[in-house]
Amino acid sequence: QLLLVESGGGLVQPGGSLRLSCEASGFAGDNFAIGWFRQAPGKEREGVACISGSGLSPNYGDSVKGRFTISTDNANDMVHLQMNSLEPEDTAIYYCAAGLQSPPCNLLGSHYDYWGRGTQVTVSS
């Protein structure tokens, strides 16, 4: 069964950290890419980070490079997004997505066919 379920969102102060998790059942292996996207009110969806289903070749959006890290836990069908040095501009709903892609993955939302329901991240003092 193909299933994507996000968790770990919440409220954090600027400069703080959060770790998002995505249960990505059925998407292991290099045939799939798993990505994190976000959408803030009034803004277009933005690609944040992606990685192959086997944990290879991570790719990051320019706005999060050096602050966010994507990783896989293949034993548990999980994909994590560690977010450090959070800024108010990171406030958005974060979505986990999966698509048929060979490494390296890309951050084009149209290349992802499966989406979770999202988790809210709010960065505010």
mmCIF file of all heavy atoms in Angstrom, residues 30-69:
data_model
loop_
_atom_site.group_PDB
_atom_site.id
_atom_site.type_symbol
_atom_site.label_atom_id
_atom_site.label_comp_id
_atom_site.label_asym_id
_atom_site.label_seq_id
_atom_site.Cartn_x
_atom_site.Cartn_y
_atom_site.Cartn_z
ATOM 1 N N ASP A 30 15.595 2.862 -5.473
ATOM 2 C CA ASP A 30 16.012 3.970 -6.329
ATOM 3 C C ASP A 30 14.995 4.327 -7.402
ATOM 4 O O ASP A 30 15.201 5.286 -8.135
ATOM 5 C CB ASP A 30 17.357 3.651 -6.981
ATOM 6 C CG ASP A 30 18.505 3.776 -5.991
ATOM 7 O OD1 ASP A 30 18.320 4.460 -4.968
ATOM 8 O OD2 ASP A 30 19.571 3.202 -6.250
ATOM 9 N N ASN A 31 13.917 3.593 -7.535
ATOM 10 C CA ASN A 31 12.907 3.959 -8.530
ATOM 11 C C ASN A 31 12.075 5.162 -8.087
ATOM 12 O O ASN A 31 11.408 5.802 -8.893
ATOM 13 C CB ASN A 31 11.970 2.787 -8.798
ATOM 14 C CG ASN A 31 12.664 1.675 -9.563
ATOM 15 O OD1 ASN A 31 13.616 1.923 -10.294
ATOM 16 N ND2 ASN A 31 12.201 0.456 -9.378
ATOM 17 N N PHE A 32 12.107 5.427 -6.798
ATOM 18 C CA PHE A 32 11.303 6.514 -6.256
ATOM 19 C C PHE A 32 12.178 7.615 -5.676
ATOM 20 O O PHE A 32 13.278 7.372 -5.204
ATOM 21 C CB PHE A 32 10.387 6.004 -5.132
ATOM 22 C CG PHE A 32 9.207 5.219 -5.616
ATOM 23 C CD1 PHE A 32 9.201 3.837 -5.547
ATOM 24 C CD2 PHE A 32 8.092 5.864 -6.126
ATOM 25 C CE1 PHE A 32 8.105 3.110 -5.982
ATOM 26 C CE2 PHE A 32 6.994 5.147 -6.564
ATOM 27 C CZ PHE A 32 7.000 3.760 -6.495
ATOM 28 N N ALA A 33 11.645 8.826 -5.736
ATOM 29 C CA ALA A 33 12.197 9.937 -4.978
ATOM 30 C C ALA A 33 11.159 10.380 -3.959
ATOM 31 O O ALA A 33 9.952 10.351 -4.235
ATOM 32 C CB ALA A 33 12.541 11.101 -5.893
ATOM 33 N N ILE A 34 11.636 10.756 -2.803
ATOM 34 C CA ILE A 34 10.775 11.306 -1.750
ATOM 35 C C ILE A 34 11.165 12.761 -1.549
ATOM 36 O O ILE A 34 12.349 13.068 -1.377
ATOM 37 C CB ILE A 34 10.942 10.560 -0.420
ATOM 38 C CG1 ILE A 34 10.881 9.044 -0.613
ATOM 39 C CG2 ILE A 34 9.891 11.034 0.586
ATOM 40 C CD1 ILE A 34 9.562 8.542 -1.113
ATOM 41 N N GLY A 35 10.192 13.629 -1.581
ATOM 42 C CA GLY A 35 10.482 15.053 -1.456
ATOM 43 C C GLY A 35 9.666 15.709 -0.366
ATOM 44 O O GLY A 35 8.601 15.223 0.012
ATOM 45 N N TRP A 36 10.195 16.805 0.136
ATOM 46 C CA TRP A 36 9.460 17.690 1.033
ATOM 47 C C TRP A 36 9.198 18.996 0.303
ATOM 48 O O TRP A 36 10.114 19.591 -0.274
ATOM 49 C CB TRP A 36 10.254 17.970 2.309
ATOM 50 C CG TRP A 36 10.263 16.840 3.283
ATOM 51 C CD1 TRP A 36 11.230 15.886 3.434
ATOM 52 C CD2 TRP A 36 9.255 16.549 4.262
ATOM 53 N NE1 TRP A 36 10.893 15.028 4.448
ATOM 54 C CE2 TRP A 36 9.676 15.410 4.980
ATOM 55 C CE3 TRP A 36 8.046 17.144 4.611
ATOM 56 C CZ2 TRP A 36 8.923 14.849 6.005
ATOM 57 C CZ3 TRP A 36 7.301 16.588 5.637
ATOM 58 C CH2 TRP A 36 7.741 15.452 6.326
ATOM 59 N N PHE A 37 7.961 19.420 0.343
ATOM 60 C CA PHE A 37 7.545 20.679 -0.246
ATOM 61 C C PHE A 37 6.835 21.498 0.830
ATOM 62 O O PHE A 37 6.384 20.955 1.826
ATOM 63 C CB PHE A 37 6.592 20.429 -1.426
ATOM 64 C CG PHE A 37 7.250 19.755 -2.588
ATOM 65 C CD1 PHE A 37 7.454 18.376 -2.580
ATOM 66 C CD2 PHE A 37 7.662 20.477 -3.690
ATOM 67 C CE1 PHE A 37 8.074 17.738 -3.647
ATOM 68 C CE2 PHE A 37 8.273 19.861 -4.767
ATOM 69 C CZ PHE A 37 8.485 18.489 -4.742
ATOM 70 N N ARG A 38 6.738 22.785 0.595
ATOM 71 C CA ARG A 38 6.018 23.620 1.548
ATOM 72 C C ARG A 38 5.230 24.693 0.805
ATOM 73 O O ARG A 38 5.571 25.080 -0.306
ATOM 74 C CB ARG A 38 6.980 24.263 2.553
ATOM 75 C CG ARG A 38 7.939 25.300 1.953
ATOM 76 C CD ARG A 38 8.943 25.758 3.001
ATOM 77 N NE ARG A 38 9.844 26.777 2.484
ATOM 78 C CZ ARG A 38 10.882 27.258 3.170
ATOM 79 N NH1 ARG A 38 11.164 26.796 4.385
ATOM 80 N NH2 ARG A 38 11.647 28.200 2.628
ATOM 81 N N GLN A 39 4.177 25.142 1.466
ATOM 82 C CA GLN A 39 3.367 26.213 0.895
ATOM 83 C C GLN A 39 2.897 27.124 2.014
ATOM 84 O O GLN A 39 2.241 26.677 2.960
ATOM 85 C CB GLN A 39 2.174 25.667 0.117
ATOM 86 C CG GLN A 39 1.427 26.746 -0.648
ATOM 87 C CD GLN A 39 0.542 26.187 -1.739
ATOM 88 O OE1 GLN A 39 0.158 25.019 -1.722
ATOM 89 N NE2 GLN A 39 0.222 27.014 -2.716
ATOM 90 N N ALA A 40 3.241 28.375 1.894
ATOM 91 C CA ALA A 40 2.816 29.397 2.846
ATOM 92 C C ALA A 40 1.591 30.114 2.287
ATOM 93 O O ALA A 40 1.398 30.133 1.063
ATOM 94 C CB ALA A 40 3.944 30.388 3.099
ATOM 95 N N PRO A 41 0.770 30.698 3.128
ATOM 96 C CA PRO A 41 -0.421 31.413 2.640
ATOM 97 C C PRO A 41 -0.058 32.477 1.618
ATOM 98 O O PRO A 41 0.848 33.282 1.833
ATOM 99 C CB PRO A 41 -0.992 32.040 3.919
ATOM 100 C CG PRO A 41 -0.515 31.170 5.011
ATOM 101 C CD PRO A 41 0.853 30.706 4.593
ATOM 102 N N GLY A 42 -0.749 32.452 0.488
ATOM 103 C CA GLY A 42 -0.526 33.448 -0.545
ATOM 104 C C GLY A 42 0.715 33.236 -1.386
ATOM 105 O O GLY A 42 1.037 34.076 -2.231
ATOM 106 N N LYS A 43 1.430 32.140 -1.143
ATOM 107 C CA LYS A 43 2.655 31.880 -1.903
ATOM 108 C C LYS A 43 2.539 30.579 -2.684
ATOM 109 O O LYS A 43 1.735 29.708 -2.350
ATOM 110 C CB LYS A 43 3.857 31.824 -0.969
ATOM 111 C CG LYS A 43 4.170 33.155 -0.288
ATOM 112 C CD LYS A 43 5.475 33.081 0.472
ATOM 113 C CE LYS A 43 5.846 34.427 1.075
ATOM 114 N NZ LYS A 43 7.139 34.371 1.794
ATOM 115 N N GLU A 44 3.383 30.438 -3.689
ATOM 116 C CA GLU A 44 3.404 29.208 -4.469
ATOM 117 C C GLU A 44 4.106 28.091 -3.686
ATOM 118 O O GLU A 44 4.922 28.349 -2.801
ATOM 119 C CB GLU A 44 4.123 29.441 -5.798
ATOM 120 C CG GLU A 44 3.383 30.371 -6.741
ATOM 121 C CD GLU A 44 4.034 30.438 -8.106
ATOM 122 O OE1 GLU A 44 5.107 29.835 -8.292
ATOM 123 O OE2 GLU A 44 3.468 31.089 -8.982
ATOM 124 N N ARG A 45 3.762 26.874 -4.046
ATOM 125 C CA ARG A 45 4.440 25.724 -3.448
ATOM 126 C C ARG A 45 5.934 25.762 -3.788
ATOM 127 O O ARG A 45 6.316 26.080 -4.910
ATOM 128 C CB ARG A 45 3.808 24.438 -3.964
ATOM 129 C CG ARG A 45 4.371 23.167 -3.368
ATOM 130 C CD ARG A 45 3.600 21.980 -3.900
ATOM 131 N NE ARG A 45 3.707 21.876 -5.351
ATOM 132 C CZ ARG A 45 2.886 21.137 -6.095
ATOM 133 N NH1 ARG A 45 1.909 20.448 -5.521
ATOM 134 N NH2 ARG A 45 3.052 21.091 -7.403
ATOM 135 N N GLU A 46 6.744 25.417 -2.822
ATOM 136 C CA GLU A 46 8.196 25.460 -2.975
ATOM 137 C C GLU A 46 8.803 24.111 -2.633
ATOM 138 O O GLU A 46 8.449 23.496 -1.620
ATOM 139 C CB GLU A 46 8.767 26.526 -2.032
ATOM 140 C CG GLU A 46 10.272 26.641 -2.018
ATOM 141 C CD GLU A 46 10.786 27.586 -0.942
ATOM 142 O OE1 GLU A 46 9.975 28.047 -0.099
ATOM 143 O OE2 GLU A 46 12.002 27.877 -0.940
ATOM 144 N N GLY A 47 9.713 23.657 -3.456
ATOM 145 C CA GLY A 47 10.442 22.423 -3.158
ATOM 146 C C GLY A 47 11.503 22.687 -2.108
ATOM 147 O O GLY A 47 12.289 23.620 -2.255
ATOM 148 N N VAL A 48 11.535 21.872 -1.087
ATOM 149 C CA VAL A 48 12.453 22.077 0.036
ATOM 150 C C VAL A 48 13.645 21.134 -0.053
ATOM 151 O O VAL A 48 14.801 21.563 -0.003
ATOM 152 C CB VAL A 48 11.715 21.876 1.364
ATOM 153 C CG1 VAL A 48 12.684 21.958 2.537
ATOM 154 C CG2 VAL A 48 10.593 22.897 1.511
ATOM 155 N N ALA A 49 13.365 19.848 -0.170
ATOM 156 C CA ALA A 49 14.438 18.860 -0.212
ATOM 157 C C ALA A 49 13.884 17.562 -0.776
ATOM 158 O O ALA A 49 12.693 17.295 -0.681
ATOM 159 C CB ALA A 49 15.022 18.616 1.178
ATOM 160 N N CYS A 50 14.775 16.759 -1.360
ATOM 161 C CA CYS A 50 14.357 15.453 -1.846
ATOM 162 C C CYS A 50 15.526 14.480 -1.731
ATOM 163 O O CYS A 50 16.681 14.893 -1.567
ATOM 164 C CB CYS A 50 13.842 15.523 -3.281
ATOM 165 S SG CYS A 50 15.075 15.999 -4.507
ATOM 166 N N ILE A 51 15.192 13.191 -1.844
ATOM 167 C CA ILE A 51 16.200 12.144 -1.726
ATOM 168 C C ILE A 51 15.664 10.904 -2.412
ATOM 169 O O ILE A 51 14.440 10.746 -2.541
ATOM 170 C CB ILE A 51 16.503 11.881 -0.228
ATOM 171 C CG1 ILE A 51 17.785 11.094 -0.038
ATOM 172 C CG2 ILE A 51 15.326 11.205 0.468
ATOM 173 C CD1 ILE A 51 18.291 11.102 1.402
ATOM 174 N N SER A 52 16.527 10.034 -2.877
ATOM 175 C CA SER A 52 16.049 8.799 -3.489
ATOM 176 C C SER A 52 15.473 7.885 -2.409
ATOM 177 O O SER A 52 15.798 8.010 -1.227
ATOM 178 C CB SER A 52 17.180 8.086 -4.220
ATOM 179 O OG SER A 52 18.042 7.448 -3.292
ATOM 180 N N GLY A 53 14.636 6.960 -2.820
ATOM 181 C CA GLY A 53 14.016 6.049 -1.865
ATOM 182 C C GLY A 53 15.015 5.204 -1.096
ATOM 183 O O GLY A 53 14.713 4.718 -0.006
ATOM 184 N N SER A 54 16.219 5.039 -1.657
ATOM 185 C CA SER A 54 17.255 4.272 -0.967
ATOM 186 C C SER A 54 18.187 5.160 -0.162
ATOM 187 O O SER A 54 19.155 4.685 0.430
ATOM 188 C CB SER A 54 18.065 3.460 -1.982
ATOM 189 O OG SER A 54 18.681 4.325 -2.908
ATOM 190 N N GLY A 55 17.922 6.467 -0.162
ATOM 191 C CA GLY A 55 18.727 7.378 0.658
ATOM 192 C C GLY A 55 19.899 8.022 -0.058
ATOM 193 O O GLY A 55 20.787 8.584 0.575
ATOM 194 N N LEU A 56 19.897 8.006 -1.380
ATOM 195 C CA LEU A 56 21.014 8.555 -2.151
ATOM 196 C C LEU A 56 20.708 9.959 -2.667
ATOM 197 O O LEU A 56 19.555 10.341 -2.836
ATOM 198 C CB LEU A 56 21.325 7.649 -3.345
ATOM 199 C CG LEU A 56 21.761 6.222 -3.048
ATOM 200 C CD1 LEU A 56 21.918 5.449 -4.352
ATOM 201 C CD2 LEU A 56 23.032 6.190 -2.225
ATOM 202 N N SER A 57 21.783 10.684 -2.945
ATOM 203 C CA SER A 57 21.724 11.937 -3.704
ATOM 204 C C SER A 57 20.693 12.939 -3.209
ATOM 205 O O SER A 57 19.766 13.314 -3.945
ATOM 206 C CB SER A 57 21.446 11.618 -5.181
ATOM 207 O OG SER A 57 22.388 10.721 -5.694
ATOM 208 N N PRO A 58 20.812 13.430 -1.998
ATOM 209 C CA PRO A 58 19.890 14.471 -1.537
ATOM 210 C C PRO A 58 20.064 15.755 -2.342
ATOM 211 O O PRO A 58 21.149 16.055 -2.850
ATOM 212 C CB PRO A 58 20.276 14.670 -0.072
ATOM 213 C CG PRO A 58 21.704 14.241 0.005
ATOM 214 C CD PRO A 58 21.835 13.124 -0.988
ATOM 215 N N ASN A 59 18.965 16.476 -2.423
ATOM 216 C CA ASN A 59 18.961 17.737 -3.158
ATOM 217 C C ASN A 59 18.157 18.743 -2.337
ATOM 218 O O ASN A 59 17.142 18.378 -1.732
ATOM 219 C CB ASN A 59 18.325 17.516 -4.540
ATOM 220 C CG ASN A 59 18.444 18.720 -5.434
ATOM 221 O OD1 ASN A 59 19.256 19.604 -5.214
ATOM 222 N ND2 ASN A 59 17.618 18.763 -6.478
ATOM 223 N N TYR A 60 18.578 20.015 -2.324
ATOM 224 C CA TYR A 60 17.945 21.013 -1.474
ATOM 225 C C TYR A 60 17.591 22.271 -2.242
ATOM 226 O O TYR A 60 18.314 22.663 -3.166
ATOM 227 C CB TYR A 60 18.875 21.392 -0.307
ATOM 228 C CG TYR A 60 19.194 20.236 0.608
ATOM 229 C CD1 TYR A 60 20.317 19.454 0.402
ATOM 230 C CD2 TYR A 60 18.356 19.914 1.674
ATOM 231 C CE1 TYR A 60 20.611 18.380 1.233
ATOM 232 C CE2 TYR A 60 18.635 18.850 2.511
ATOM 233 C CZ TYR A 60 19.766 18.090 2.280
ATOM 234 O OH TYR A 60 20.043 17.019 3.096
ATOM 235 N N GLY A 61 16.513 22.900 -1.831
ATOM 236 C CA GLY A 61 16.192 24.212 -2.358
ATOM 237 C C GLY A 61 17.177 25.243 -1.828
ATOM 238 O O GLY A 61 17.720 25.092 -0.731
ATOM 239 N N ASP A 62 17.396 26.307 -2.589
ATOM 240 C CA ASP A 62 18.401 27.305 -2.224
ATOM 241 C C ASP A 62 18.110 27.949 -0.873
ATOM 242 O O ASP A 62 19.025 28.287 -0.123
ATOM 243 C CB ASP A 62 18.478 28.383 -3.304
ATOM 244 C CG ASP A 62 19.119 27.880 -4.579
ATOM 245 O OD1 ASP A 62 19.813 26.847 -4.535
ATOM 246 O OD2 ASP A 62 18.913 28.517 -5.632
ATOM 247 N N SER A 63 16.834 28.128 -0.546
ATOM 248 C CA SER A 63 16.481 28.837 0.681
ATOM 249 C C SER A 63 16.750 28.032 1.950
ATOM 250 O O SER A 63 16.740 28.596 3.053
ATOM 251 C CB SER A 63 15.011 29.246 0.643
ATOM 252 O OG SER A 63 14.183 28.108 0.593
ATOM 253 N N VAL A 64 17.010 26.727 1.818
ATOM 254 C CA VAL A 64 17.211 25.897 3.010
ATOM 255 C C VAL A 64 18.576 25.234 3.052
ATOM 256 O O VAL A 64 18.906 24.552 4.029
ATOM 257 C CB VAL A 64 16.111 24.817 3.135
ATOM 258 C CG1 VAL A 64 14.730 25.447 3.111
ATOM 259 C CG2 VAL A 64 16.255 23.749 2.065
ATOM 260 N N LYS A 65 19.387 25.413 2.032
ATOM 261 C CA LYS A 65 20.714 24.786 2.004
ATOM 262 C C LYS A 65 21.533 25.219 3.218
ATOM 263 O O LYS A 65 21.584 26.397 3.554
ATOM 264 C CB LYS A 65 21.450 25.169 0.717
ATOM 265 C CG LYS A 65 20.998 24.394 -0.496
ATOM 266 C CD LYS A 65 21.772 24.812 -1.745
ATOM 267 C CE LYS A 65 21.283 24.042 -2.961
ATOM 268 N NZ LYS A 65 21.964 24.479 -4.208
ATOM 269 N N GLY A 66 22.145 24.238 3.845
ATOM 270 C CA GLY A 66 22.953 24.505 5.020
ATOM 271 C C GLY A 66 22.173 24.536 6.314
ATOM 272 O O GLY A 66 22.770 24.554 7.400
ATOM 273 N N ARG A 67 20.847 24.540 6.235
ATOM 274 C CA ARG A 67 20.012 24.568 7.438
ATOM 275 C C ARG A 67 19.177 23.304 7.600
ATOM 276 O O ARG A 67 18.920 22.869 8.721
ATOM 277 C CB ARG A 67 19.072 25.782 7.404
ATOM 278 C CG ARG A 67 19.787 27.117 7.340
ATOM 279 C CD ARG A 67 18.804 28.273 7.532
ATOM 280 N NE ARG A 67 17.791 28.328 6.482
ATOM 281 C CZ ARG A 67 16.479 28.316 6.706
ATOM 282 N NH1 ARG A 67 16.014 28.241 7.935
ATOM 283 N NH2 ARG A 67 15.624 28.385 5.695
ATOM 284 N N PHE A 68 18.725 22.726 6.498
ATOM 285 C CA PHE A 68 17.862 21.545 6.529
ATOM 286 C C PHE A 68 18.652 20.334 6.045
ATOM 287 O O PHE A 68 19.504 20.441 5.160
ATOM 288 C CB PHE A 68 16.645 21.735 5.631
ATOM 289 C CG PHE A 68 15.640 22.756 6.106
ATOM 290 C CD1 PHE A 68 15.912 23.627 7.154
ATOM 291 C CD2 PHE A 68 14.406 22.852 5.482
ATOM 292 C CE1 PHE A 68 14.988 24.549 7.584
ATOM 293 C CE2 PHE A 68 13.459 23.781 5.899
ATOM 294 C CZ PHE A 68 13.754 24.628 6.941
ATOM 295 N N THR A 69 18.308 19.173 6.592
ATOM 296 C CA THR A 69 18.921 17.921 6.175
ATOM 297 C C THR A 69 17.838 16.865 6.011
ATOM 298 O O THR A 69 17.047 16.633 6.932
ATOM 299 C CB THR A 69 19.952 17.431 7.199
ATOM 300 O OG1 THR A 69 20.956 18.443 7.398
ATOM 301 C CG2 THR A 69 20.628 16.149 6.713
#
